[in-house]
Amino acid sequence: MRLTQWTDYSLRVLMYCAVHQHREQPVTITEIAEAHGISRSHLTKIVMTLSALGYLETTRGRGGGLRLLRPAEHIVLGEVVRQTETDFNLVECFDAQTNQCRIAGVCGLKHVLGDALKAYLARLDAVTLADLVLPSPPEQPLRRMARARAIS
């Protein structure tokens, strides 16, 4: 199964926010767009959806940005994928209304793929956002001072 670009970018946004969840200033859409080379306007739509789904808290204006609405340990990957993917019909016969397959009555492929999809989603249900990322370490005071000296 191949995830849509929408789901891929949704996961990237959530992962980026998870990595930076403990920093003082919130993450910005521009920051994520630059980090991943993704259109800012496209990410804005994704962020609006993730906010409506209850994954992100958004704040407008100066000093605003994005934060996870819940801890990364409570965001299950399978839940995100189910809410951001639009089509789990791996083959035509998964959709009874549009199925035109001429061997559907004698074919076992639908059942094998159905089992594979269930296993795929079950695996995603066993993973949280926190499992996918390592938190960014707090900046060391000495590194901050060294950088300040180099700039001046």
Side-chain angles (χ1 to χ4, degrees):
M1 175 173 184
R2 183 181 177 104
L3 296 177
T4 60
Q5 190 177 60
W6 184 274
T7 299
D8 178 20
Y9 290 174
S10 295
L11 293 172
R12 291 183 198 205
V13 167
L14 292 173
M15 290 172 65
Y16 195 93
C17 290
V19 166
H20 300 288
Q21 67 184 333
H22 298 297
R23 78 179 197 193
E24 197 172 310
Q25 72 278 15
V27 169
T28 66
I29 292 173
T30 300
E31 182 182 338
I32 298 170
E34 289 173 0
H36 290 289
I38 301 170
S39 158
R40 187 183 184 290
S41 62
H42 192 57
L43 277 183
T44 300
K45 295 173 193 171
I46 290 169
V47 164
M48 288 177 13
T49 299
L50 292 172
S51 177
L53 291 171
Y55 294 112
L56 293 176
E57 171 186 36
T58 60
T59 309
R60 297 178 121 184
R62 188 176 197 98
L66 321 168
R67 292 194 187 279
L68 293 178
L69 200 53
R70 341 178 220 164
E73 300 81 31
H74 296 130
I75 298 176
V76 176
L77 192 60
E79 176 186 311
V80 176
V81 169
R82 282 183 185 86
Q83 291 182 326
T84 56
E85 278 298 307
T86 56
D87 185 5
F88 285 98
N89 293 331
L90 299 180
V91 288
E92 174 186 345
C93 58
F94 272 38
D95 186 349
Q97 293 180 347
T98 60
N99 183 18
Q100 298 283 320
C101 181
R102 295 176 185 204
I103 62 170
V106 295
C107 178
L109 180 61
K110 176 181 178 178
H111 302 293
V112 171
L113 291 176
D115 289 345
L117 179 60
K118 287 177 193 170
Y120 172 77
L121 292 171
R123 178 64 182 115
L124 296 179
D125 287 338
V127 178
T128 68
L129 190 57
D131 296 328
L132 301 177
V133 298
L134 297 173
S136 63
E139 190 173 27
Q140 301 298 322
L142 293 177
R143 287 174 77 195
R144 198 175 320 129
M145 286 190 298
R147 192 172 27 191
R149 279 191 208 121
I151 293 171
S152 53

